[in-house]
Amino acid sequence: MIRNVRLVEHDEQGQVAREVIIGKEEFLVGRGGDCDLRLAEEAVSRHHCLIRVIGDSADVSDLGSSNGTFLNGQRIISQAPLHTGDVLRIGPSQFDVDLGDRPTHEPNPTRVDPAARTWRIKNLPGL
């Protein structure tokens, strides 16, 4: 099962500007007030696209939006599978897809040399 599915938006400096957790099987994106992710932009349709997370897979479906939904630079005609590292563009908003299926590389505390100088760094996407 996929856990911690999220969309990550970055600012111009490459810093994380927003993380959107997809905590349900069907996640509606659009401009409408009933959407799970509401993007208040003219280029975004009221019901723009739907992200489905079922078991260990995820996909995105365009819902007939006027300006399209793009995955890795290609317009989605109807539905496309999502993978960690994909780039999803909805109107002017661009998100990196993280399905939570890549292991984090946390050190095992029982194997850390207490005499060694170490620094804890933030996990980098894709590691």
Side-chain angles (χ1 to χ4, degrees):
M1 172 175 231
I2 294 177
R3 300 181 189 273
N4 301 321
V5 177
R6 63 194 180 121
L7 300 176
V8 181
E9 186 175 30
H10 295 87
D11 62 18
E12 293 86 25
Q13 290 77 35
Q15 301 296 317
V16 173
R18 170 171 45 173
E19 289 187 21
V20 179
I21 304 298
I22 300 175
K24 52 197 282 191
E25 192 172 289
E26 291 193 345
F27 191 85
L28 183 61
V29 180
R31 202 175 55 208
D34 59 339
C35 292
D36 300 301
L37 173 57
R38 190 168 178 206
L39 301 173
E41 298 284 344
E42 283 187 34
V44 177
S45 295
R46 190 170 64 84
H47 291 160
H48 198 96
C49 65
L50 182 69
I51 297 172
R52 285 190 189 93
V53 180
I54 301 172
D56 62 353
S57 64
D59 63 60
V60 60
S61 301
D62 185 79
L63 300 175
S65 65
S66 300
N67 295 307
T69 303
F70 293 80
L71 184 63
N72 300 321
Q74 300 293 316
R75 187 172 184 158
I76 297 171
I77 302 304
S78 59
Q79 179 178 328
L82 290 173
H83 303 95
T84 294
D86 284 345
V87 177
L88 182 64
R89 186 167 56 83
I90 304 161
S93 299
Q94 184 167 294
F95 300 94
D96 292 332
V97 176
D98 180 359
L99 299 181
D101 55 354
R102 292 195 180 157
T104 59
H105 296 285
E106 290 292 324
N108 182 345
T110 60
R111 295 187 181 185
V112 174
D113 179 358
R117 248 186 122 150
T118 60
W119 292 271
R120 184 174 193 81
I121 60 171
K122 189 170 138 181
N123 285 343
L124 300 175
L127 294 181

